Amino acid sequence: MERGTAAVADYLTVLTTTDTPEKAEALARGAIEARLAACAQISQPVTSVYRWEGTVETAAEWQVLFKTTAARYDELEAHIREAHDYETPEIIALPIVNGSEDYLAWVVSETTIG
Amino acid sequence: MERGTAAVADYLTVLTTTDTPEKAEALARGAIEARLAACAQISQPVTSVYRWEGTVETAAEWQVLFKTTAARYDELEAHIREAHDYETPEIIALPIVNGSEDYLAWVVSETTIG
Amino acid sequence: MERGTAAVADYLTVLTTTDTPEKAEALARGAIEARLAACAQISQPVTSVYRWEGTVETAAEWQVLFKTTAARYDELEAHIREAHDYETPEIIALPIVNGSEDYLAWVVSETTIG
């Protein structure tokens, strides 16, 4: 299949995970207060599966899914890294390639300062 | 919005959220009955975090994740906007850039009329 | 990382679903043991909505969301198809277009053999 050029995505979803629902909410609130994201959704606990010192482990985590603009990504990433207590937190951005015009306009207005 | 050059993704996931599981299921069923999506997955409740009249609020919501073709996107968006009872519902599309060939063929066949 | 052209997205999230949490964990563990993904997150049960023999049905399923490199995609897909007991499992890949540099470096190191 054609591998698209999502390059020009103006809008992003950004995903991180942490190990308590309180920390997840604090990460979400901090980013929204700073207008680095328009909104976020915190999942129910997920089971994370990963390798640790040679064996595959599992742990409960909570996902935080932010909606923001590409223009705000670098500052959002810096904010999450600063606020997060993991040494190497998951922070990944996926492109939004289409959406309802008024919703995307709201994302822009929520992430614009002043 | 610049309708991205990610435009060239042939398949999409489309995400919306609503405030009861019954409305989430109605949105999913309506789109599938109309062949605007091949399938949808409804999450457990998520905690949505957003700014409302100057303060950051939280609310329980349910995510609906549709799988469809880019060709059906505009009609799916119109259907969700019509069926949804929010003034500005979240409707965002993320590109599928690879996938199992027979699954993607099933997505096409489920979203083709006649 | 190259910011941009998801055309050449170097990193992917890959989503599959199955009908028990035990099968979901087995799919996750198998892929991570084989270094086909760096990590995976298993959701709480979702309600899948789809058409079956002409009527719209619902079923409980568990999502497995893998994080990997594009270089490992074909082998990961082959592994999931082999390990999965559905005839046509959902396997879809979404591009990661940005992310924290050290997290993405960890994804590469976890999916590199030898």
Side-chain angles (χ1 to χ4, degrees):
Chain A
M1 81 186 284
E2 234 176 297
R3 304 199 163 214
T5 47
V8 285
D10 294 319
Y11 303 91
L12 299 173
T13 64
V14 177
L15 182 67
T16 192
T17 53
T18 187
D19 58 0
T20 73
E22 292 78 20
K23 291 181 193 172
E25 189 172 328
L27 286 167
R29 280 185 176 273
I32 292 161
E33 276 161 10
R35 293 195 176 276
L36 298 172
C39 67
Q41 291 149 0
I42 302 166
S43 71
Q44 296 287 322
V46 299
T47 302
S48 282
V49 187
Y50 54 94
R51 183 188 312 272
W52 183 251
E53 299 189 351
T55 52
V56 176
E57 308 273 355
T58 62
E61 289 196 309
W62 281 257
Q63 294 170 325
V64 186
L65 184 68
F66 299 95
K67 265 63 60 77
T68 193
T69 59
R72 297 296 267 158
Y73 175 77
D74 286 345
E75 279 177 272
L76 175 60
E77 182 190 315
H79 175 88
I80 295 169
R81 293 169 64 92
E82 175 64 30
H84 211 298
D85 62 356
Y86 286 17
E87 202 183 309
T88 308
E90 172 172 334
I91 308 172
I92 56 175
L94 280 76
I96 295 172
V97 289
N98 216 329
S100 117
E101 219 168 300
D102 52 359
Y103 181 77
L104 296 175
W106 174 81
V107 171
V108 170
S109 96
E110 284 298 311
T111 54
T112 301
I113 291 167
Chain B
M1 116 181 245
E2 230 180 292
R3 306 218 158 196
T5 44
V8 288
D10 293 321
Y11 302 91
L12 299 173
T13 64
V14 177
L15 182 67
T16 192
T17 53
T18 188
D19 58 0
T20 74
E22 292 77 20
K23 290 181 193 172
E25 189 172 326
L27 286 167
R29 280 184 177 273
I32 293 162
E33 276 161 9
R35 294 195 175 276
L36 298 173
C39 66
Q41 290 149 2
I42 302 165
S43 71
Q44 296 286 323
V46 299
T47 302
S48 282
V49 188
Y50 55 94
R51 183 188 312 271
W52 182 251
E53 299 189 350
T55 53
V56 176
E57 308 273 355
T58 61
E61 290 196 309
W62 281 257
Q63 295 169 324
V64 186
L65 183 69
F66 299 95
K67 265 63 62 77
T68 193
T69 59
R72 298 296 267 158
Y73 175 77
D74 286 345
E75 279 177 89
L76 175 60
E77 183 192 313
H79 175 88
I80 296 170
R81 293 169 64 91
E82 174 66 30
H84 211 299
D85 62 356
Y86 287 16
E87 202 183 309
T88 308
E90 172 172 334
I91 308 173
I92 56 174
L94 281 76
I96 295 172
V97 289
N98 217 329
S100 118
E101 218 170 301
D102 51 0
Y103 181 77
L104 295 175
W106 174 81
V107 171
V108 171
S109 96
E110 284 298 311
T111 53
T112 302
I113 290 166
Chain C
M1 99 181 264
E2 229 179 293
R3 304 211 165 202
T5 51
V8 286
D10 293 321
Y11 303 91
L12 299 172
T13 64
V14 177
L15 183 67
T16 193
T17 53
T18 188
D19 58 0
T20 74
E22 293 76 21
K23 290 181 192 173
E25 188 172 326
L27 285 167
R29 281 184 176 273
I32 292 161
E33 276 162 9
R35 293 194 176 277
L36 298 173
C39 67
Q41 290 149 1
I42 301 165
S43 70
Q44 297 286 324
V46 298
T47 302
S48 282
V49 187
Y50 54 93
R51 182 187 313 271
W52 182 252
E53 299 189 351
T55 53
V56 176
E57 307 272 355
T58 63
E61 290 196 307
W62 281 257
Q63 294 169 324
V64 186
L65 184 69
F66 298 95
K67 265 63 60 79
T68 193
T69 60
R72 298 296 267 158
Y73 175 76
D74 286 346
E75 280 177 89
L76 175 59
E77 182 191 314
H79 175 88
I80 295 169
R81 293 169 63 91
E82 175 65 30
H84 211 299
D85 62 357
Y86 286 17
E87 202 183 309
T88 308
E90 173 172 333
I91 308 173
I92 56 174
L94 281 76
I96 295 172
V97 289
N98 217 327
S100 119
E101 217 169 301
D102 52 359
Y103 181 77
L104 295 175
W106 174 81
V107 170
V108 170
S109 97
E110 285 297 312
T111 53
T112 302
I113 290 167

